[in-house]
Every structure is written in structure tokens, then in C-alpha cells.
Amino acid sequence: MTDATKNDIVLEIHDLTVSYDRKPVLWDVDLSLPQGKLIGIIGPNGAGKSTLIKSVMGLVPNSSGYVRLFDHNLDDVRAKVSYIPQRESVDWDFPASVLDVVLMGRYGKLGLFKRPRKADKEVAMDCLRKVGMEAYMERQISQLSGGQQQRVFLARALAQQADLYFMDEPFAGVDAATEKTIISILSEMTERGNTVVVVHHDLQSISEYFDWVILLNMRLVAYGPTEEVFNQELLQETYGGKLTLLSDVGNLMKRKRFPNREAKPAKRI
Amino acid sequence: MDTFLDFFSFSDPNVRYVVLGSILLTSSSSIVGCFTFLKKKALVGDAVAHAVLPGVCLSFLLTGEKNPFVLIIGAFITGWLSLFIIDAISGRSKIKEDTAIGLILSVFFGIGILILTVIQKSGAATQTGLDSFLFGKAASLVGQDLIVFGIVALLLFLSVWLLFKEFSLLSFDEAFAQTIGLPVRSIELVLTTLTVMAVVIGIQAVGVVLMAAMLITPAAAARFWTDKIKVMIALAAIFGSLSGLIGAYISYAAPSMPTGPWIVVVISTIAFISFFMAPGKGIIYRMRNQSRIKKHINDENILKTLYQLSEEEKNFYEARTVDGILSKRKFDKGNLESGLRRLKNEGFLNNDNGFWKLTLEGKEKGQRIVKLHRLWELYLTEYLKIAPDHVHDDADTIEHILTPELEARLEKLLDYPTVDPHESEIPYR
Ligand SMILES: Nc1ncnc2c1ncn2[C@@H]1O[C@H](COP(=O)(O)OP(=O)(O)OP(=O)(O)O)[C@@H](O)[C@H]1O
Ligand SMILES: [Mg+2]
């Protein structure tokens, strides 16, 4: 690989296997994503889409393989990477206002002990404006609709001012109008050179929304520019039934407390 | 009355110790308890409170001292250890957290009781003040205790103040905290340590058994009154202090009364009151709100009926009897009469010797309701394609909640229509 293309790569995943309780749910994923694209991850329920993102963000341990972001380890480039979890992953009854949540996007830059400053509040307000939620600034988060919650999460991610964004189902429970607003914000971001990776479920809109797609079903089926990989044959392979053999082997490994890899001296990367 | 003045003049140094000590203990555990509550880890307080016992007994057994400082260190170590083990069990095995808590709680407490029995057999327990760890000893606090509590409380306040942002984020969205590179493990460790500290010193006010309540209840009560986390923490601290103060007073006024249990009774009462009275969430508030809405609807229906009666006869200021109104629309007679009186007081109606007449304001208000009703019927038939004979009941409700802003939008959307789906005229001014 030449230096020029290597600079373009924002995410490189090498031979990644992820397991829960020893049962692998993602097998040997190898991929690298270019900068400045809007990228969709698709696959059936339980395919490991959320797991893939979580393992890139260091939220679940890898059984094997490694992840490089901007040619660095995650810890060195955290400020450049942003993650929006699935909306249900938090308790929306928490005593916080919309602005409080968006300000959380600034905490990484602030560091320990420091309070948000005026500049941070202004960035947060700006991001709320971008997602059309400035009128709800003071609103308690439990009083938001699902689509509004999603936009608050998006605003929080924008407030991080990152280069690479991972979003887990930002369109779940969102009406068509909000979906359009969000997707136009996302394309604007990619035009500015950011990279946005989105878990998406609606196959109808894939070609319209995404430059690239990643097809996933317990393993990487294919990835690349939408027009190259988003076709009937590969979709059939992604959605065409569960890979019973693969999951049976996984279950066996869990039952027998089997290691994921033979013990080998740790490889330095 | 005399005891009251004696107590609240704080001239007796003993009173000062007890009051200050109780307040320090209860407020600091209330503040830390807010995060325990928000993280939905109410059981953790219970576990620590019980796990503290073996530590206290052991450090007494080993050192033979009843110095509060020594006992607190022992308490702290086993309390902390219990949380560490619970975490390890629920993190590394299939055992769920609540099961792990139950397991550790009973094992630690059992060991504690065992050692306590040994100490009691040796006859030393009564002088040691060990039982004050079981049931609290707020009433017999001395200067030395206060210094220890003061230091611990200060440490707690300071840590929460410094790490407020981190604790909040951790309680709301731990995964996000981790992805932005916050040292989640360390912050969690600090929070755990604070919780154990709060429990360990709180126990000396209310005892092992009631400590879990002392940690969570102020936070739960405060949550009813506010949606802002800072206000919630302040309120929890105030509620906690109040219960400490009142508990201390009760056991001063009636020396046979134990302070600790009274502190818990007071804080539970506060929680109970919050549950019923708090604006927005309290049950009484909701009931009052419901009854306000009922009256509002009732009164608007009266004006509407009077307007409709007049509309038929084209005479809006005609005087009418109660029976006349009842002939047009069914009301509960009592509700109708109280509604009429209310409307008269509000200036929408006049009363001439038992005859009721609309005022100008009353006519306009009635007219607006009728207009909203008909606009909404039209909206339902035109935009939602609902059959004209199915829209009446719906409109009967909606007419009472539409705001002027929605009214304007509705008018515009329907292009200022003149008749409703039943060909009744839509009245504009
Ligand atoms: N914390 C966990 N512990 C054990 N197994 C898990 C855990 N989280 C996910 N799994 C399993 O891992 C597999 C992949 O889950 P993942 O959530 O990544 O799927 P997904 O593609 O995001 O699905 P969905 O479309 O439903 O969100 C599933 O079989 C799931 O049951
Ligand atoms: Mg998922």
C-alpha cells in the first residue's frame, strides 16, 4: 500500500474476532474505510453490527486482531472519534436538560475536573441549532419524543467536533422528515471531509443515502462502494438465513470454555 | 416549649455535637446517595452497610480499641472489599449483580455476627460501643467523633464538587464516558470509595439496618421535586440534614427515643410527602390538576351550551334558567350550578334573580369553543378522512385544549372555512 492511500484510510480492522462469554459473534473481520464517505453497515438482527462498532470504540474486548484509527491506536485519537450508542442504551428519565446532554459532547475536550465554559455552551447551542432542537434547550430529556432524543444524541456527537463518527441506528423510531434532516446533516459532514459510519436497517434507502456499504452477518460478507457491493447476490448472502454452522461452532466454544486462539506470544503492532 | 428553646439555642455543647454530627452524617450520605440512586444501585448501599460489620468487629478484636477512627478504617476495608467482590463476581461469571449482592451481603454480615458473638462472650462489647455501630449512636456523639466525621464529610463534599461532571456522565451514559477517554475505571473506583465512606460514617448515626434507607431515600425524595441534577443533590442534602436535625431534637426532648431510627422516620416522612405533594410528579398535584381540567371543561361546556341556545334564537344575551340549559345539554346539576357561580365570579355570566345571561366576554368565549369544535370536525373529515358522523366526540374533547396558536394554524390550513361538515356555520367575530 502506498503512502498516499494509507493517509486516506481512517479505519483499519485486521482479522478481528469478537466474542461474548467466549462465543464468537463476529468472525475474522478485515476491512479498511476511506476518509470522507458516508458508510452504511447493514445486516440482519444479531449480525454483530453494534458489536463491530463497540469493539472499534473499545467497549467490548477483542478476542483477536486489531483496530487502527487514523493509523493510530484508539487511545491516541479519541478526540477525533465520536460514537452515538443505540438510543435505548441510556435512561431518558435522568434529571438532565437537552443542553446538559449536548454539553457532554464537550467533556472529552474539557478533561477532568473542569466545568463547561461559555465557549462550550456556544458550541453546544450551535449543534442544537444544526439539528433543529434549539427551542428545546431547557427541556427535560424525558419529555422528548424518540426522534427528538435521537437528534439530541446527534447534537452531542456534533459537539465533539470529531473527524470520524459511528452511529448505531440513528434512524430507529424516527419519522421520515427527521430522517431526511439527519441524513442531510450527515452528508454535509462528509462533504467537509468527515467520515460517518451508520448502522442502518432500511434497505430501500441504502443506495440513496450511502457512498459505501458494509454487509455483515457474523462475518464480513462484503464492503465497498455502494454501486459495487449493494447487489442482489451479496444481499442474498447477507440476509439469506442464519449461518447455523458458524453459530453452532460458537456455542460449542462457549460450552467447552474453548480459547478463541491458540496461545501464542503476543504480537506487537 | 422549654426543651425546644433549650435545644435550638444550641447552648448545650452536647446538643451542638449531636446536631452537627447528625447533620454531617446525613447530608454527606445523602449527596453520595444521589449517584447511587441515579445509577440504580440502591442495593449497593445495603450490601456495604452489612459488610461493614466484620471490619468493625475485627479491628476491635485486633486492636482492643474503641477509637472511632480505628473502627472506621476496619469498616472501610471490608465495606470496600465487598463491593470489589460483587463487581468481580457479576463481571466475570454468569451470576447477576443482585444475586451477587445478596450473596456477599449475607456472607459478610454472617461473619460479622460471628465475631460479634465472640466479642460479646468475652464481655467487652457493652463498654466498647460496638453495638452503637449496629444501631447508631447519634445521641452520644462527642467531640472526637465530630472531628472524624467532619474530615470525612469534607472529603466527600470536595470530591463530589470536583468530579460532579464525571459522576453525572457516568451515571447517565457510561459507554459514552468510556469512548471519550474518561478514566471510567478510576472514577468508578472513587465513587465506590465515597459510597463506602458515606455508609461507614452514616452507620454511626442510624446503624447498619437503616443505613441503606439513609443513602437512597433523600435522593428519591429530592427527585420528585426537580429535573435538575444539581438541585436534586442540594435538595437531598437539605432533606438529609433536616432529618438529622429533627431526629436529634426528638431524642433530646424524649431521651428514651433513639436518634437513628427517628432520623430514618423523618426522612421517610419527607419522601412520603414528596410522593404525594411534589409539583408535576406528586400524586396530589396530579389529582388537583385532573380536577382543574374537569372544571375547565365543565365551565367551557356551559358557555358553549348557552351560546348554542342563543345561536338558534339569534339572541345572545337572553336570560335563561338552569332547566333551560339542561334541556339543551346533559350536565350533573351540582356541577352545572357550581360552574355557573364560578363563571359569574369570573365575569363571563350575569345573574338576574336566578336567570343566567352571557356577558360580552362570555359570549366570545362560548363562540370560540363552538368555532374550535366545528373547525376540528372539519379538519378530521377533510384531512383524516373520518366520516362526519364520527367526529363529534373527538371534537368535544379537542375544543378545550387547542391553543390560540393552533387555532390560527387550523384556520389557515382549512382556509377560513364558513361551515362545518354538518353545515353548521363556523362563527368568526
Ligand atoms: N452483552 C452481550 N452478551 C452476550 N451476547 C451478546 C451481548 N450483546 C450482543 N450479544 C450477541 O451478539 C450478537 C450480535 O449482537 P449485536 O447487538 O452486535 O447485533 P446487531 O447486528 O447490532 O443486531 P440488531 O440489528 O438487533 O441491533 C447477537 O447474537 C447477540 O445476542
Ligand atoms: Mg444493534
Side-chain angles (χ1 to χ4, degrees), chain A residues 62-135:
Chain A
N62 307 343
S63 305
S64 77
Y66 62 82
V67 173
R68 304 274 289 169
L69 296 140
F70 305 101
D71 206 21
H72 285 82
N73 284 326
L74 174 64
D75 276 327
D76 303 325
V77 289
R78 287 211 188 258
K80 296 169 79 175
V81 190
S82 161
Y83 163 65
I84 303 186
Q86 263 174 288
R87 182 159 48 85
E88 312 80 63
S89 70
V90 304
D91 171 20
W92 289 93
D93 212 16
F94 194 84
S97 69
V98 166
L99 184 63
D100 289 337
V101 173
V102 180
L103 273 173
M104 289 172 187
R106 306 297 299 167
Y107 286 8
K109 288 206 163 47
L110 276 172
L112 283 177
F113 307 124
K114 302 209 186 60
R115 304 277 144 114
R117 302 149 302 179
K118 181 138 192 275
D120 298 308
K121 292 212 173 100
E122 272 171 24
V123 173
M125 286 299 302
D126 230 34
C127 299
L128 273 176
R129 213 164 293 130
K130 271 186 207 139
V131 301
M133 289 285 293
E134 71 271 34

Side-chain angles (χ1 to χ4, degrees), chain A residues 91 93 111 114-115 156, chain B residues 40 161 165 173 223 227:
Chain A
D91 171 20
D93 212 16
K114 302 209 186 60
R115 304 277 144 114
R156 178 175 78 174
Chain B
K40 303 196 167 47
W161 186 73
K165 155 174 136 276
D173 193 348
R223 184 67 185 87
D227 281 330

Side-chain angles (χ1 to χ4, degrees), chain B residues 46-115:
Chain B
D46 226 357
V48 181
H50 285 82
V52 150
L53 186 65
V56 174
C57 296
L58 263 181
S59 59
F60 173 76
L61 211 59
L62 293 180
T63 65
E65 289 224 44
K66 65 169 195 168
N67 179 335
F69 197 66
V70 175
L71 297 187
I72 282 181
I73 296 206
F76 184 82
I77 293 175
T78 47
W80 200 87
L81 196 67
S82 72
L83 286 192
F84 182 78
I85 299 180
I86 288 170
D87 243 21
I89 292 181
S90 55
R92 295 219 184 116
S93 74
K94 270 196 223 151
I95 298 174
K96 294 236 165 52
E97 189 174 18
D98 52 351
T99 317
I101 288 177
L103 206 70
I104 293 305
L105 182 150
S106 33
V107 168
F108 272 64
F109 196 60
I111 296 175
I113 293 287
L114 194 76
I115 307 177

